[in-house]
Amino acid sequence: ISGSLDNSASVLYRLNALYSRRDSFRNFDQDFEQFFISPVVTWNINERTNLTLNLQLSNRERPFDGGTVAVGNGVADVPRDRIFNEPDDFIRRDFLSIGYNLNHQLSNEWSIRNAFRYTDSRVFSDRLSIPIEFDEETGILTRVFALDDFNSQNYALQTSLIGEFATGSVEHTLLFGIDLTRTHTNEFAIANFTPSPINVFNPVYGVDRFTFDTLLFDRALKINHLGVYLQDQIQLFDRLNLLLGLRYDTVNQRIDNT
């Protein structure tokens, strides 16, 4: 859906949205569900300046499926719709992004661009039954239970100065800019390694899930990044361009492990 919000068409909007749901050929309610929405608004402030605001929000959830076990040089002789983890195992992904783009024409030759974006991404899975060992003779698949929680936030700011001019018969497009990014990531996983067996030829589901007693990892990651760049695109002839570029980056990273 798109259009203008005022009579002069100086404020424009667009709305993208999606909802999908599909089943799987696997047993039980193996639904794959996704939701996505992304509104965008552009404000043409005047002939030289425009501002665009954008938002993205998505949610995806699907069952966790460990696949089919291998036997010898092939796979186990079981129905293709059979699963070997618990039917209520799932993985959920949430994503948020919000930002803006500001463009301003300083003169006929020079313009400036400024953009900012914040993103938040999370992947979460609760009490997954993860296969770790298979006995081909007995058909017993050994599983353990685990929980994984991954979350990351990113802040990105970029400013660029663009100039278009000529030196004699040679045309230049000069670009100078700075970008700053900061990323915070947290990863957490716990498990219980008490064996939870299942017979792949005669599976029985609905086992009691053990209380988590083992910390796999708990860590925080922080990254600060600064980039400075300079670029000149030179049009020597109609079919020949020369691109000269220089970029400097500095990165600081800290990892805290518990």
Side-chain angles (χ1 to χ4, degrees):
I1 302 173
S2 64
S4 61
L5 294 175
D6 61 342
N7 295 330
S8 62
S10 62
V11 181
L12 310 174
Y13 74 91
R14 183 177 69 247
L15 176 63
N16 304 295
L18 164 74
Y19 175 77
S20 65
R21 181 169 182 168
R22 62 185 177 89
D23 294 328
S24 168
F25 65 89
R26 306 284 265 176
N27 280 337
F28 306 102
D29 295 328
Q30 302 287 291
D31 292 333
F32 294 74
E33 191 171 31
Q34 179 176 357
F35 169 77
F36 170 85
I37 188 169
S38 176
V40 182
V41 176
T42 295
W43 179 23
N44 294 310
I45 302 173
N46 52 49
E47 294 181 354
R48 292 180 175 269
T49 309
N50 65 78
L51 173 66
T52 298
L53 307 174
N54 52 74
L55 170 71
Q56 291 185 28
L57 182 65
S58 68
N59 171 269
R60 298 169 58 194
E61 187 168 317
R62 67 173 178 85
F64 173 77
D65 192 337
T68 302
V69 295
V71 175
N73 295 324
V75 296
D77 185 16
V78 296
R80 63 190 294 266
D81 57 1
R82 181 171 297 172
I83 66 172
F84 306 114
N85 47 280
E86 290 301 304
D88 56 350
D89 290 352
F90 73 93
I91 296 178
R92 185 175 65 245
R93 291 179 171 88
D94 299 310
F95 179 78
L96 168 68
S97 173
I98 186 169
Y100 70 83
N101 290 274
L102 178 63
N103 300 301
H104 178 66
Q105 192 76 29
L106 298 171
S107 65
N108 293 333
E109 294 81 20
W110 293 92
S111 62
I112 189 170
R113 300 173 183 171
N114 177 254
F116 172 78
R117 182 174 298 276
Y118 165 77
T119 60
D120 185 295
S121 178
R122 185 185 186 194
V123 180
F124 178 77
S125 58
D126 186 12
R127 298 184 180 275
L128 297 183
S129 48
I130 302 174
I132 59 171
E133 186 180 11
F134 179 60
D135 190 324
E136 297 183 8
E137 295 183 359
T138 63
I140 297 299
L141 177 68
T142 302
R143 309 169 303 174
V144 297
F145 294 108
L147 177 149
D148 185 29
D149 192 356
F150 171 87
N151 185 243
S152 179
Q153 292 93 32
N154 180 265
Y155 306 82
L157 178 67
Q158 184 181 64
T159 301
S160 299
L161 183 66
I162 305 100
E164 296 181 354
F165 55 91
T167 54
S169 60
V170 179
E171 297 183 355
H172 298 261
T173 300
L174 188 67
L175 171 67
F176 171 75
I178 298 175
D179 53 52
L180 294 165
T181 60
R182 172 171 291 182
T183 302
H184 294 173
T185 300
N186 292 282
E187 298 175 293
F188 176 75
I190 52 179
N192 187 303
F193 288 98
T194 303
S196 176
I198 189 172
N199 191 317
V200 301
F201 301 109
N202 185 27
V204 176
Y205 304 99
V207 300
D208 293 332
R209 298 179 187 256
F210 304 101
T211 302
F212 296 124
D213 58 7
T214 303
L215 177 64
L216 299 180
F217 53 80
D218 182 7
R219 56 178 171 249
L221 170 67
K222 295 181 180 180
I223 301 176
N224 293 315
H225 165 262
L226 169 66
V228 182
Y229 51 92
L230 177 66
Q231 177 180 292
D232 189 9
Q233 179 178 310
I234 307 171
Q235 184 173 350
L236 300 175
F237 304 101
D238 289 341
R239 298 188 178 185
L240 179 62
N241 290 323
L242 175 64
L243 183 67
L244 303 176
L246 176 67
R247 181 178 175 93
Y248 172 78
D249 290 276
T250 177
V251 179
N252 176 267
Q253 176 176 285
R254 176 186 174 94
I255 301 176
D256 295 321
N257 283 298
T258 302

